[in-house]
Amino acid sequence: MVNSRKSGRPLLTRSALIAGAVTSLVNVASLAAQEISGRVVQQETGEPVAAAIIELVDDSTQVVTGQTLTGPDGLFRLTGAKAGRYRLRVERIGLATINTAPFLVSGGSPVFREVVVPAEPISLTTLSVAAERRCSVRSDAPISVQRLWDEARKTLLSVSLLDEAWLATFRLLLWERDLDPATGRIRSEELSERTVMQALPFISGPPLELLQKGFIRREGSVTTYHVPDANVLLSEVFLETYCFHSTRDEERVGLAFEPFGGAAGIRGTLWLDRESGALSELEYAYTSAPDGGYDLSSGGVVEFDRIENGASIVSRWYVRMPRFAIMNGRETAQVALIRESGGQVQSSRLRGRPRNITAPNATVSGTLLSAEGEPLPDALVYVAGTNRSARTDQHGAFALSHMLPGQHVISWIRDGDRSGEFADVIDLEVSNADTVIVLRELPRLAYFSQQCGTEARRNSTGSVLGRVLANRMPVPFAIATAQEPGGRIVEVRTDAAGRFAFCDVREEALIEVTHGARVAVRHVGLSAGEVMRLSVALPSTDHSVSTDTVLTESIQARLAADSVAEVEARQSAALAHALERIPGSDAPGRVWGVVLSDDSNAPVPGARIVDMQSSSAVTTDQRGTFRFETRSPMLYLQVSHVGFATVYDTLYVPPGDVVQLEIRLGITTLEPIVVTTRRRGLLADAYWRRAHQTGIFLDTLAIRRRTPRVITDMLRDQSGVHVITQGSGVQGGRLYFRNECAPAVFVDGVEVTRVSSRRSDQAMREAFDEVNRLHPSGIELIEMYRGASELPGQFGGAGSMCGAIVIWSRRGN
């Protein structure tokens, strides 16, 4: 069915969508290639029209056989047309569609057509929006849906068709941010810049594959979130399998979409400007998580803009994904934070043309005043979780530039307020517009009264008002835990000023502050009704613990009648407790990666990977792979190879963790925007060995099928494993491999067997007892290596002739 309206646009039905939204290229391999070129000029001025969409339409079938954009000079070129009768369709964003008169194409000379187009603006202000959905591929769409799709399609096609005639240099600002799932506040933010020579800042991958297999995919421990690009939204399968309806807000009209029948995919809205009809923004959300449940914390935005001469580009984008809390070594359904990955075009420059800033960032400026209203000079105003800060001048004025949109938290610090008692905190929603704020010094005890009131005095308990610092700067969102001798434990999180408060401490408590891999422990003692102001400085290096004992004067006087040894003993106990709370602090992190060519996916041997902080370097092998260990959790990598653009990346590798990394080198094509979440801990290492090495592996499913009383009930069935039991087989026995050689036993990566002679009867009994020490229901995975030829190096390598049994508990590491 073809619409007979002036524009010649088809209705949003299956046959029309295929003709109007998808380029149906004709196979011309057996025909002589015929070139059709031309120029588009404005009727009123005679000036060339750039970035207009040109479609070659077969006049008899109404099938689009070719598409392109006019260049900056208004010229266009189409090739591959067979002999026949055609017309040209010229589409411009915000202007009426123009169809030329039919013309003949034969096997002779190339065809040149000059098209004169008038400026006929299209406005959507009078469009009647209806909530009717178009889900049946056989029914006609409402007129509002059709008009909105007509205009949105123009921008999407412009982005998709931008080619080498429009090749520009784009400077991109990329970011990774962690957001609080409850408030949306930014907890941390990392920025980087990249310069590319292409129109699309990201690509999504094959549309058919994404729409069939889903935008969220989980393979093993890796979850990948794909961002929809213009080609996905223009694809036939998207238009066939999604429902559409028109909507509006205060300033825009939109075309909303969702998968037919509630299937997994994406839902969202294409928002258009009412006056110009230009597509301004795509909002979307993922309709389901990898396990089939709804994932309401994930989704994103893609914004569109126009550069010189009206060419459309993706100017800004981000995708948000949940990261789930880990408990007992397993992911839970609780969202711990939201990871946001995004970017924006900072500037664009066409060949031979001046630079044009398309996405300037906002500035937050203001004044810091004392409680009496006087300016406070030489204070440091900062944005929590970022490296942006500014000092106030003599008038208390400050300015924070290059602020990305989002829910930021702003505070300040002066050297005279180590407990943060006077600091003000402002939640600020930053947009693209500059903002002016006023920060004020809080009255004395205002923060304490807000947190604790008079409860401490009523209950005859003391209170602790503290601030966490690192390198003399406040540490927001650190975890502070207070544990009293009676066993009561209270946990709080520091605010943007690095403050925490414990309101009802009974005489003494062990306060532990953790932030990443750094820990500080304070043993505090105070009398009833006292308020202790405490400054906790985190150690300057990761995997370190700082300890101290802090007492009020009354407690110090009481302890003086006892012994100084009591204070020292408490401090030693605090240190020992803190060390127990750091899992795997001595285990190095491991990075396994591969370097690929971005355009061909071929491995890149000989690429050099340098950690710029430690200056250590490795080189990829013939398969493009590399691996190394690190004791620093934060890596600043530089990846380079002759003939490729150098890539920089920041990587967080927790102790004992295994991170798998894929790096692509190239300048003409960017990798798809994906964010991966990896299962942390040494257990990830075990699953990698299961996929790549020899040995025997028994997982929870195998254990559940057998329901053994003890683990040795399962091991006796394995080749090369000998189990000799006494009586019921539960009380005692011997376990050994070939040649009566007892294996070493590891639990969660730590060896628990101690007998040095592996061929002794004592060693065989010890192996039996240690293997059975854990109940089968509490085991995640068992690895068995029956000799030196199978054994990985971390469990003894060739030096251990008898092999090993490695048990991973369900508690994790």
Side-chain angles (χ1 to χ4, degrees):
M1 179 184 297
V2 177
N3 186 8
S4 59
R5 292 169 7 193
K6 175 182 179 181
S7 67
R9 300 288 339 129
L11 286 174
L12 195 61
T13 61
R14 175 171 184 170
S15 59
L17 290 171
I18 296 174
V22 181
T23 305
S24 304
L25 298 179
V26 179
N27 182 2
V28 294
S30 60
L31 301 176
Q34 180 70 46
E35 178 180 301
I36 301 174
S37 60
R39 184 169 179 261
V40 180
V41 297
Q42 293 181 1
Q43 184 181 62
E44 294 79 5
T45 65
E47 295 293 322
V49 177
I53 302 169
I54 305 298
E55 292 183 325
L56 183 64
V57 183
D58 188 303
D59 194 47
S60 59
T61 63
Q62 299 302 308
V63 172
V64 177
T65 62
Q67 291 173 315
T68 189
L69 289 180
T70 58
D73 50 7
L75 295 174
F76 65 89
R77 178 173 173 267
L78 295 163
T79 60
K82 65 179 182 179
R85 186 181 179 88
Y86 296 90
R87 67 174 68 238
L88 292 173
R89 179 183 297 145
V90 182
E91 295 183 301
R92 294 162 295 164
I93 296 173
L95 298 173
T97 298
I98 301 299
N99 290 281
T100 68
F103 58 90
L104 292 175
V105 173
S106 63
S109 302
V111 176
F112 183 88
R113 309 292 293 182
E114 181 166 290
V115 183
V116 179
V117 293
E120 296 182 23
I122 289 179
S123 175
L124 302 177
T125 55
T126 59
L127 183 68
S128 177
V129 172
E132 181 182 352
R133 298 193 306 170
R134 197 285 311 175
C135 290
S136 171
V137 296
R138 301 180 187 278
S139 63
D140 291 346
I143 189 63
S144 61
V145 170
Q146 183 63 58
R147 285 196 61 190
L148 290 170
W149 172 248
D150 283 348
E151 297 309 311
R153 174 181 172 274
K154 292 178 184 178
T155 300
L156 294 173
L157 267 177
S158 296
V159 172
S160 177
L161 294 175
L162 211 59
D163 59 11
E164 61 272 6
W166 284 92
L167 192 62
T169 300
F170 295 95
R171 184 166 60 91
L172 308 180
L173 176 67
L174 307 175
W175 66 80
E176 295 280 345
R177 305 201 291 198
D178 288 339
L179 312 179
D180 186 288
T183 64
R185 295 172 179 168
I186 297 170
R187 289 188 185 176
S188 65
E189 180 179 273
E190 295 181 8
L191 305 178
S192 63
E193 287 191 352
R194 189 170 182 179
T195 300
V196 298
M197 295 179 63
Q198 63 175 49
L200 292 174
F202 67 89
I203 56 176
S204 297
L208 181 60
E209 179 181 330
L210 285 178
L211 292 162
Q212 288 182 342
K213 297 183 179 180
F215 288 83
I216 304 178
R217 299 183 209 167
R218 182 153 190 164
E219 299 178 2
S221 61
V222 178
T223 303
T224 303
Y225 292 77
H226 291 266
V227 179
D229 65 2
N231 291 324
V232 170
L233 300 175
L234 288 169
S235 66
E236 174 185 351
V237 65
F238 178 79
L239 296 168
E240 283 187 327
T241 57
Y242 274 69
C243 300
F244 301 86
H245 69 271
S246 53
T247 184
R248 70 170 65 226
D249 63 11
E250 293 181 358
E251 299 179 354
R252 304 173 298 178
V253 290
L255 181 62
F257 58 86
E258 60 183 346
F260 178 75
I266 56 172
R267 65 174 181 272
T269 304
L270 293 161
W271 291 106
L272 295 89
D273 182 84
R274 290 187 183 182
E275 295 294 336
S276 68
L279 177 62
S280 61
E281 184 176 277
L282 162 65
E283 292 180 338
Y284 68 94
Y286 300 100
T287 58
S288 65
D291 59 0
Y294 279 93
D295 188 355
L296 301 179
S297 57
S298 62
V301 166
V302 178
E303 296 180 2
F304 301 89
D305 201 353
R306 301 173 78 176
I307 58 174
E308 297 93 331
N309 287 339
S312 296
I313 63 168
V314 173
S315 60
R316 184 173 177 269
W317 67 94
Y318 67 77
V319 55
R320 291 177 176 173
M321 300 126 303
R323 301 194 69 172
F324 299 100
I326 304 295
M327 184 174 295
N328 296 329
R330 290 181 173 274
E331 269 190 359
T332 67
Q334 179 184 357
V335 178
L337 55 87
I338 304 297
R339 169 60 55 86
E340 179 183 286
S341 177
Q344 67 183 27
V345 177
Q346 291 290 87
S347 64
S348 61
R349 182 176 59 196
L350 289 173
R351 290 174 175 173
R353 295 179 180 272
R355 184 176 297 273
N356 174 41
I357 302 297
T358 61
N361 294 317
T363 296
V364 175
S365 58
T367 307
L368 175 61
L369 303 176
S370 68
E372 293 76 25
E374 297 296 325
L376 286 177
D378 200 34
L380 191 67
V381 180
Y382 63 91
V383 183
T386 76
N387 60 358
R388 283 191 293 279
S389 62
R391 284 208 172 269
T392 57
D393 62 15
Q394 59 181 345
H395 305 292
F398 63 89
L400 299 163
S401 58
H402 303 294
M403 295 283 291
L404 290 172
Q407 188 71 29
H408 295 273
V409 188
I410 299 175
S411 188
W412 61 276
I413 182 173
R414 295 182 80 189
D415 292 340
D417 181 22
R418 310 310 296 171
S419 66
E421 185 175 331
F422 300 101
D424 190 12
V425 173
I426 287 185
D427 281 317
L428 183 64
E429 180 70 34
V430 176
S431 63
N432 288 324
D434 292 344
T435 306
V436 179
I437 62 174
V438 176
L439 284 168
R440 292 185 180 274
E441 184 182 61
L442 295 178
R444 187 174 182 82
L445 290 179
Y447 175 77
F448 172 74
S449 300
Q450 178 186 359
Q451 299 297 316
C452 299
T454 59
E455 179 183 1
R457 293 171 176 80
R458 285 202 309 267
N459 295 336
S460 298
T461 57
S463 304
V464 177
L465 173 62
R467 193 177 211 183
V468 182
L469 302 170
N471 299 322
R472 302 174 63 86
M473 279 293 293
V475 180
F477 317 122
I479 297 175
T481 305
Q483 182 173 357
E484 295 179 346
R488 190 175 72 101
I489 299 176
V490 179
E491 181 178 290
V492 297
R493 189 179 290 274
T494 60
D495 69 357
R499 299 174 297 198
F500 63 89
F502 295 113
C503 302
D504 54 350
V505 179
R506 293 173 175 83
E507 290 194 353
E508 63 177 295
L510 187 69
I511 295 179
E512 180 180 286
V513 177
T514 61
H515 187 260
R518 290 176 288 176
V519 180
V521 178
R522 298 291 182 267
H523 178 265
V524 301
L526 66 166
S527 297
E530 289 186 302
V531 177
M532 174 182 286
R533 293 172 177 83
L534 181 65
S535 178
V536 180
L538 289 172
S540 58
T541 58
D542 289 341
H543 314 301
S544 300
V545 181
S546 65
T547 65
D548 198 0
T549 300
V550 184
L551 308 173
T552 59
E553 292 182 1
S554 60
I555 294 295
Q556 290 180 23
R558 182 169 60 83
L559 285 178
D562 300 322
S563 64
V564 179
E566 180 180 353
V567 178
E568 294 177 350
R570 290 177 178 177
Q571 185 170 346
S572 298
L575 176 59
H577 174 73
L579 291 174
E580 291 173 358
R581 291 288 297 275
I582 306 177
S585 59
D586 294 331
R590 274 163 282 188
V591 178
W592 298 336
V594 61
V595 179
L596 303 174
S597 172
D598 196 42
D599 56 350
S600 64
N601 287 327
V604 180
R608 183 175 173 82
I609 298 94
V610 180
D611 178 14
M612 294 186 291
Q613 190 172 23
S614 65
S615 297
S616 60
V618 295
T619 303
T620 57
D621 59 17
Q622 291 299 315
R623 296 176 298 174
T625 62
F626 66 92
R627 63 175 59 189
F628 59 86
E629 292 186 350
T630 177
R631 293 194 177 274
S632 172
M634 192 62 68
L635 297 178
Y636 303 92
L637 299 182
Q638 178 192 59
V639 184
S640 59
H641 191 282
V642 176
F644 292 93
T646 300
V647 171
Y648 297 90
D649 198 3
T650 301
L651 190 64
Y652 178 62
V653 186
D657 202 358
V658 178
V659 174
Q660 295 176 342
L661 185 64
E662 181 180 284
I663 300 174
R664 293 181 175 269
L665 299 182
I667 192 172
T668 56
T669 304
L670 288 179
E671 66 276 15
I673 289 185
V674 298
V675 173
T676 59
T677 57
R678 298 177 176 84
R679 185 175 183 179
R680 298 178 57 183
L682 295 173
L683 188 56
D685 194 359
Y687 279 107
W688 186 92
R689 289 192 296 273
R690 180 184 186 182
H692 295 84
Q693 294 187 222
T694 59
I696 299 174
F697 295 85
L698 303 173
D699 57 16
T700 54
L701 181 60
I703 296 173
R704 194 178 301 117
R705 286 172 178 169
R706 286 289 305 272
T707 61
R709 297 168 300 169
V710 290
I711 287 300
T712 49
D713 288 347
M714 291 193 65
L715 303 188
R716 68 171 74 245
D717 298 334
Q718 306 300 323
S719 174
V721 181
H722 301 274
V723 177
I724 300 176
T725 60
Q726 301 172 354
S728 65
V730 177
Q731 299 301 320
R734 293 186 299 161
L735 169 64
Y736 57 91
F737 290 161
R738 302 180 182 94
N739 302 321
E740 296 189 350
C741 201
V745 179
F746 293 78
V747 176
D748 290 337
V750 178
E751 185 175 1
V752 295
T753 48
R754 295 292 180 265
V755 178
S756 58
S757 176
R758 308 310 309 165
R759 295 185 183 277
S760 66
D761 184 73
Q762 182 182 359
M764 299 178 195
R765 294 182 183 279
E766 182 190 48
F768 181 93
D769 293 339
E770 294 299 337
V771 164
N772 289 326
R773 194 172 296 278
L774 274 70
H775 191 273
S777 63
I779 294 177
E780 175 87 6
L781 183 69
I782 299 175
E783 306 175 63
M784 284 197 297
Y785 304 99
R786 294 158 295 183
S789 61
E790 298 180 355
L791 194 62
Q794 58 265 48
F795 301 120
S800 178
M801 301 300 296
C802 298
I805 296 177
V806 185
I807 300 175
W808 298 98
S809 71
R810 298 182 70 176
R811 296 189 304 272
N813 59 1

